[in-house]
Structures are given as structure tokens and as C-alpha cells.
Amino acid sequence: MDFVLPLDAAAATLETAGGKGAALSELARGGLPVPGGFHVTTAAYQEFVASTGVADRIRAELAVASGPDDGSDTGAGARIRALFEEGPLPSALERAVSKAYAELGDGARTVAVRSSATAEDLPDPSFAGQQDT
């Protein structure tokens, strides 16, 4: 199970790395100037929600949600976000991300992190901007 993929990996598809990830991978493979980086895959997300039990808690939050989240600090979205912030990172996932970060080299200390949901940037509809980075 790949929790992390190199930036130029052909395996970085919409399904494994989201729309932005797949596009960056394609650009990197095409030899265009793309800053160094790596993809944290959907397998990493699935491992996190399975190992922490977050999936069941998300379903419970959604079951009692009264409608669209209003973006407040008390809505279902905020409570679900807190589940991710509180959950312990599985050790295998932590090791994979730490290793990929270390391999960026050049003493990289500052990085940009972008969300790339698998349904965010599809060929037809786009939900860009709905994910919080």
C-alpha cells in the first residue's frame, strides 16, 4: 500500500492523488518546471480513517446534521475537522511522510500543502476552492 508517491509517479492518478496531484504528476513527467514534492495518497487517508475509527464518527456527525454546514466553528464540518486533528497518525503513515519529506533534500524546511480531493477537479464539474488547506 503506497501512502506516498513521488511527484512524477505515473501512479499519481485522479483516484490516488486527486485532480491537482494527477495534473502535477503529468507536468513533472513531461519535463516542465514543477517544484519538488510528493503526493500523500488516498490510501493514506483510508488508512487514517480506518485505524482511528474516524469513519464511524463522521457518519454519526452527518446523521445528526440538520442541513448544509454554515461554516461556523460549531457546525458538523468543524466537528469533523476536529476528528482529523485529534486522531493519532498511524506510525506507518508517519514514517512514509517523514521519509518523503526528508528526501526533498536541500534542507527544505518550508513547504506548501495543497488538498486535492478525488472529486474536486474532474474533467467536467469542478469543486475547486471547497477544500480547506
Side-chain angles (χ1 to χ4, degrees), residues 10-39:
T13 63
L14 178 65
E15 294 80 17
T16 62
K20 285 183 205 71
L24 280 171
S25 180
E26 187 175 343
L27 291 171
R29 286 192 315 277
L32 294 165
V34 177
F38 56 90
H39 307 278

Side-chain angles (χ1 to χ4, degrees), residues 2-3 5 9-18 21-22 39-44 116 118:
D2 291 323
F3 296 139
L5 292 172
T13 63
L14 178 65
E15 294 80 17
T16 62
H39 307 278
V40 179
T41 66
T42 54
S116 186
T118 57

Side-chain angles (χ1 to χ4, degrees), residues 61 64-65 73-84 86:
E61 284 291 344
V64 298
D73 290 341
T74 59
R79 290 190 301 273
I80 291 170
R81 179 184 185 134
L83 296 175
F84 283 89
E86 296 165 5

Side-chain angles (χ1 to χ4, degrees), residues 5-103:
L5 292 172
L7 189 63
D8 61 354
T13 63
L14 178 65
E15 294 80 17
T16 62
K20 285 183 205 71
L24 280 171
S25 180
E26 187 175 343
L27 291 171
R29 286 192 315 277
L32 294 165
V34 177
F38 56 90
H39 307 278
V40 179
T41 66
T42 54
Y45 169 84
Q46 292 163 349
E47 174 68 16
F48 179 85
V49 297
S51 70
T52 60
V54 167
D56 292 335
R57 295 172 67 191
I58 291 171
R59 281 191 283 279
E61 284 291 344
L62 293 175
V64 298
S66 59
D69 195 19
D70 63 7
S72 72
D73 290 341
T74 59
R79 290 190 301 273
I80 291 170
R81 179 184 185 134
L83 296 175
F84 283 89
E85 292 172 350
E86 296 165 5
L89 201 58
S91 59
L93 178 53
E94 183 177 0
R95 282 191 306 274
V97 171
S98 294
K99 181 176 184 271
Y101 177 73
E103 289 173 355

